[in-house]
Amino acid sequence: MKRVPDESCASICGLFCGACPAFPDQCHGCFSDFVREGCRNCESHGFADCAARHQVRRCYECAEFPCQKLREFSTKPVINGICNHAKVIPDSLRMKEIGIPAWIQEKIGEHTCPNCGQLIDWFTMDAHICGKRESP
């Protein structure tokens, strides 16, 4: 059975883990029990430690949101012309506004191919494997 993104895919920083190329084979989201090594404890970015210090679960709950660390994170890396972190601040605000379950459903809708129903990752949104991105 195909794994569907759940609340574990609403990351600390505002990323939708369900659109990561590592989902679901190498990771089930940063709040799950199956996290890819590069994301465990947000080692390279420090968001997990920062959230713990500020006694919040997600960045948008912090009094310092959006902080400089998150602003910088939202600008890099750029891979093949795409910055998958670009929407972390507006996505965090949307998460806060509508709640995590509704936000997950929105993100699933945004990242699901209308033709084949496959979940599309950040880096292949414009070049999806079924060859059709728009509905007929």
Side-chain angles (χ1 to χ4, degrees):
M1 188 166 100
K2 188 166 68 167
R3 184 171 182 86
V4 176
D6 59 19
E7 291 187 29
S8 296
C9 291
S11 72
I12 295 166
C13 64
L15 282 174
F16 173 54
C17 299
C20 178
F23 181 86
D25 297 330
Q26 301 164 12
C27 186
H28 293 168
C30 73
F31 282 109
S32 74
D33 291 333
F34 184 55
V35 180
R36 76 181 189 92
E37 188 160 338
C39 292
R40 282 189 201 122
N41 198 31
C42 300
E43 291 154 357
S44 61
H45 304 292
F47 290 114
D49 291 338
C50 187
R53 275 194 315 277
H54 287 89
Q55 299 179 342
V56 298
R57 186 156 166 91
R58 294 188 171 82
C59 291
Y60 70 79
E61 299 168 328
C62 183
E64 296 177 24
F65 174 83
C67 66
Q68 187 60 33
K69 177 189 292 242
L70 192 61
R71 285 188 183 106
E72 288 174 11
F73 180 74
S74 73
T75 65
K76 54 191 170 201
V78 176
I79 299 169
N80 296 329
I82 298 168
C83 178
N84 64 304
H85 300 167
K87 295 182 180 181
V88 293
I89 294 170
D91 275 350
S92 291
L93 291 169
R94 183 69 176 155
M95 226 188 280
K96 181 179 181 179
E97 176 187 356
I98 66 172
I100 293 167
W103 183 81
I104 289 291
Q105 291 308 307
E106 277 188 3
K107 290 289 149 189
I108 289 171
E110 288 175 22
H111 289 273
T112 299
C113 176
N115 294 295
C116 70
Q118 181 178 339
L119 198 60
I120 307 166
D121 73 56
W122 301 305
F123 303 111
T124 59
M125 285 293 290
D126 295 328
H128 176 55
I129 196 165
C130 82
K132 302 176 188 176
R133 182 64 185 121
E134 299 298 322
S135 296

